[in-house]
Amino acid sequence: MDIAAISGNIATVGYGLAAIGPAIGVGIVVGKTIEGVARQPELSSRLQTLMWIGIAFTEALAFIGIATYYIFTS
Amino acid sequence: MSHDTPAITGVLKRALLWDAIITGGIAVVAVVLGAIFSGGIGVVSALIGAVIALVFLGITAASIIFANRYAGGELFAGIFFAIVLGGWLLKFLVFILLAVVLKGQPWIDPLVLFLSLIAAVIGSLVVDVAVVIRSRIPIGASGS
């Protein structure tokens, strides 16, 4: 009996791995933004701008992660 | 609802405008390359990839602009993050569904579509960074 055998599409595992990084990234970006706004509400516009650029980068990783499966299996 | 316009709104609108311009440029290049390598199917795929990148990346900026309409209210922080992060989650669910649906279509070349998408995503990121670097947001600006 091979207890390490897996069945199904391995790409689903790939998506799970691709989702970890952006999830942590967005969590940190948004959490720190909330922290910053709580400390200095007058900086909220600046912090929102930086938050948006942070989210843009992390979501780009997620998009590429999802898209990779379709490139390599086409 | 407050009628203040937070300073970030101008930055985001400018970023959306430049995103559209750059994505349009990338779409033209992708359409030409798609036509060379895959013919008519490549043209359609390249266009769809560029449009997906523009719409899905633009949703983040658009959601922040929309959420800031509630600036000044007591529940602003909750509403803001619910709209921005809720929009983000919804966007990815729709993106995955779209990817699954499009992959099986005979009129799509998945390779061209997703290479075009990735090129447009990277182009948008470059533009976003450039817009933010050039933006001037006064400290103490409305938006809290």
Side-chain angles (χ1 to χ4, degrees), chain A residues 3-44:
Chain A
I3 57 170
I6 57 170
S7 61
N9 192 341
I10 193 70
T12 52
V13 179
Y15 170 67
L17 291 173
I20 292 173
I24 294 172
V26 168
I28 291 174
V29 167
V30 173
K32 291 290 181 184
T33 304
I34 294 172
E35 230 172 65
V37 173
R39 285 172 193 270
Q40 286 180 289
E42 70 276 11
L43 286 181
S44 69

Side-chain angles (χ1 to χ4, degrees), chain B residues 49-122:
Chain B
V51 169
I52 287 176
L54 179 64
V55 170
F56 281 73
L57 285 181
I59 285 175
T60 306
S63 69
I64 294 175
I65 292 172
F66 178 73
N68 270 325
R69 293 171 64 181
Y70 297 93
E74 276 184 30
L75 294 174
F76 173 59
I79 292 172
F80 180 83
F81 288 109
I83 291 173
V84 174
L85 293 180
W88 199 79
L89 195 60
L90 194 67
K91 173 171 66 177
F92 272 99
L93 284 176
V94 173
F95 179 64
I96 291 170
L97 284 177
L98 202 62
V100 170
V101 169
L102 286 178
K103 183 158 169 58
Q105 300 302 320
W107 44 275
I108 288 288
D109 182 337
L111 186 62
V112 174
L113 192 154
F114 288 104
L115 284 179
S116 156
L117 188 149
I118 288 173
V121 165
I122 292 171

Side-chain angles (χ1 to χ4, degrees), chain B residues 11-24 54 127 131:
Chain B
V11 177
L12 293 176
K13 282 183 177 169
R14 205 159 48 244
L16 281 175
L17 177 70
W18 278 105
D19 273 352
I21 293 170
I22 292 294
T23 307
L54 179 64
V127 168
V131 169

